[in-house]
Amino acid sequence: MRVYNFSAGPSALPEEVLKRAQDEMVEYPGAGMSVMEMSHRSKEYEAIINDAERLVRELMNVPDNYKVLFLQGGASSQFAMIPMNLCKNGKADYVITGQWAKKAASEAEKYLKVNRVASSADKTFSYIPKLDKSAFDPEADYFHITYNNTIYGTHYTELPDTGNVPLVADISSCVLAEKIDVSKFGLLYAGAQKNLGPAGVTLVIVRDDLIREDLPESVPTMFKYKIHADNGSMYNTPPTYAIYILKLVLEWVKEKGGVEELQKINEKKAAALYDYLDNSEMFKGTVVPEDRSLMNIPFVTGNDELDAEFVKKSKAAGLMNLKGHRTVGGMRASIYNAMTVEGVNALIDFMKKFESENK
């Protein structure tokens, strides 16, 4: 029996995708072999990766003057690739809204001067800080945000106006879950293991003018966007099977009506869970209401022992991976695209039962 998987990543995949991959595991249609066995230079695999790019462009409405790249190293590798490739003046602005934003800024400091524009660390990253434009550096090479904070459950509802400075965003935990205007960004990046597919492939969408040829010789070849753009994400052997699963997920998104339809479902799921939290006498959300994420919902009882008991009993009930991150405590429900309305309702029903039994 499949459980309801609320993991923050690697996370649940659509069951339809898993079943199709199962059907095609041994023999991909027309190839006589598994995708795992294919040469990445074969016509069959070329069609797979080209379809994946085409679907990303279609579903996210990617303008023609942007490249879509499938890279490796997770979103964490982008913490270094971004400053390596975008550094001209040697300065960048970062907003610190959680652990991943902190790590991104710390990594960037190896290559340029980081201006930490604002931070919400004072309240355990439970809100998105209001930004003072006077703190922005007009000569910054880029302005970096973490659009949705997986650990802390916060989300930007208003993007910063950075003028001519390219806006860069980590969208790992909100990609394909809501409409994002790609044209407002210079670069977007996302690890796959939340809404796109299995771990192993990283999506990067980068505007053409930010793909530079004049990088220092010290930048490793594999860390140059241009080398990957010029070679269709196949300069070296890509994570072939992960990209194939990503393609199946993209097809699933399209079959569901696209990002706009999934966003409606995601809003319904999140509203149901937040409504229960706001009216519960036991459970409380940890994020200020105006900055709440659609994807990652942390909550607590206020009692560590009760939190631990909840996690233990929820696991026994088939509600998996609800333990919160160690820096927040309590619980966290990650309700990505693949999490069904039924799964969220099952969680709410269990919370009601637990609350009534532990008054």
Side-chain angles (χ1 to χ4, degrees):
M1 180 184 104
R2 280 181 61 79
V3 298
Y4 290 117
N5 180 12
F6 293 93
S7 172
S11 61
L13 284 165
E15 191 169 348
E16 299 95 319
V17 167
L18 294 172
K19 287 180 175 177
R20 180 165 171 198
Q22 180 184 41
D23 290 342
E24 298 177 349
M25 170 64 76
V26 175
E27 184 178 345
Y28 184 75
M33 66 182 78
S34 173
V35 175
M36 288 187 188
E37 304 170 287
M38 282 182 190
S39 165
H40 62 295
R41 304 296 182 191
S42 67
K43 289 183 179 179
E44 291 87 354
Y45 191 75
E46 185 179 3
I48 289 171
I49 196 169
N50 287 344
D51 279 350
E53 178 180 342
R54 175 183 56 77
L55 285 162
V56 168
R57 289 186 176 278
E58 178 183 342
L59 293 168
M60 295 186 67
N61 195 26
V62 178
D64 291 340
N65 63 322
Y66 286 73
K67 293 293 188 294
V68 173
L69 306 176
F70 300 116
L71 306 181
Q72 299 178 65
S76 295
S77 68
Q78 296 306 307
F79 298 167
M81 278 188 82
I82 289 164
M84 280 183 179
N85 283 265
L86 273 56
C87 180
K88 284 187 176 180
N89 297 328
K91 300 186 289 182
D93 287 350
Y94 278 72
V95 182
I96 310 303
T97 51
Q99 183 165 305
W100 298 116
K102 283 173 62 179
K103 288 185 175 182
S106 294
E107 191 72 9
E109 281 183 318
K110 297 176 182 178
Y111 308 100
L112 42 67
K113 183 179 179 180
V114 169
N115 172 35
R116 289 170 171 79
V117 173
S119 171
S120 52
D122 62 324
K123 296 184 179 178
T124 321
F125 302 114
S126 60
Y127 68 100
I128 298 292
K130 304 300 180 188
L131 301 180
D132 179 0
K133 283 197 71 172
S134 67
F136 297 9
D137 186 345
E139 295 183 348
D141 294 317
Y142 61 91
F143 190 113
H144 182 282
I145 64 170
T146 305
Y147 206 141
N148 186 86
N149 294 285
T150 315
I151 293 174
Y152 303 96
T154 58
H155 178 275
Y156 281 81
T157 55
E158 183 179 350
L159 295 174
D161 179 4
T162 59
N164 293 324
V165 175
L167 183 59
V168 172
D170 179 348
I171 57 169
S172 294
S173 51
C174 61
V175 62
L176 296 181
E178 60 183 286
K179 291 184 71 175
I180 294 174
D181 185 350
V182 175
S183 69
K184 292 184 180 296
F185 298 85
L187 187 150
L188 295 165
Y189 66 99
Q193 65 275 13
K194 302 176 190 297
N195 258 334
L196 289 171
V201 59
T202 307
L203 173 68
V204 174
I205 302 172
V206 55
R207 203 170 64 211
D208 288 345
D209 63 292
L210 298 179
I211 301 175
R212 293 169 51 201
E213 297 187 42
D214 60 336
L215 294 179
E217 285 295 318
S218 59
V219 177
T221 300
M222 279 294 292
F223 272 67
K224 295 178 180 177
Y225 290 130
K226 183 168 175 54
I227 199 76
H228 296 289
D230 287 351
N231 288 276
S233 298
M234 291 201 287
Y235 172 73
N236 69 322
T237 306
T240 54
Y241 198 76
I243 292 171
Y244 156 71
I245 298 292
L246 182 149
K247 180 186 83 86
L248 297 187
V249 171
L250 294 169
E251 290 174 347
W252 175 83
V253 171
K254 185 173 180 178
E255 289 168 4
K256 292 293 181 182
V259 174
E260 189 171 352
E261 289 304 311
L262 285 180
Q263 180 171 344
K264 292 176 184 177
I265 297 170
N266 290 329
E267 289 170 347
K268 178 181 178 181
K269 291 186 300 186
L273 185 48
Y274 283 127
D275 182 66
Y276 172 69
L277 289 171
D278 289 343
N279 290 282
S280 170
E281 294 181 4
M282 174 180 287
F283 298 101
K284 300 298 176 189
T286 60
V287 175
V288 298
E290 61 267 28
D291 296 329
R292 285 171 165 174
S293 167
L294 288 179
M295 296 283 95
N296 310 102
I297 303 179
F299 57 95
V300 296
T301 66
N303 181 306
D304 291 345
E305 291 183 2
L306 202 57
D307 287 349
E309 183 69 11
F310 177 85
V311 171
K312 178 182 177 181
K313 288 190 173 180
S314 63
K315 184 176 180 180
L319 306 169
M320 308 298 288
N321 297 308
L322 283 164
K323 185 176 181 179
H325 192 270
R326 61 185 178 277
T327 59
V328 181
M331 288 72 65
R332 172 181 51 178
S334 293
I335 54 174
Y336 300 121
N337 285 345
M339 175 54 63
T340 61
V341 172
E342 292 74 21
V344 173
N345 288 338
L347 172 59
I348 294 170
D349 289 343
F350 179 81
M351 292 170 74
K352 289 178 179 177
K353 181 173 180 289
F354 186 87
E355 183 170 359
S356 67
E357 292 173 351
N358 291 275
K359 284 185 177 179

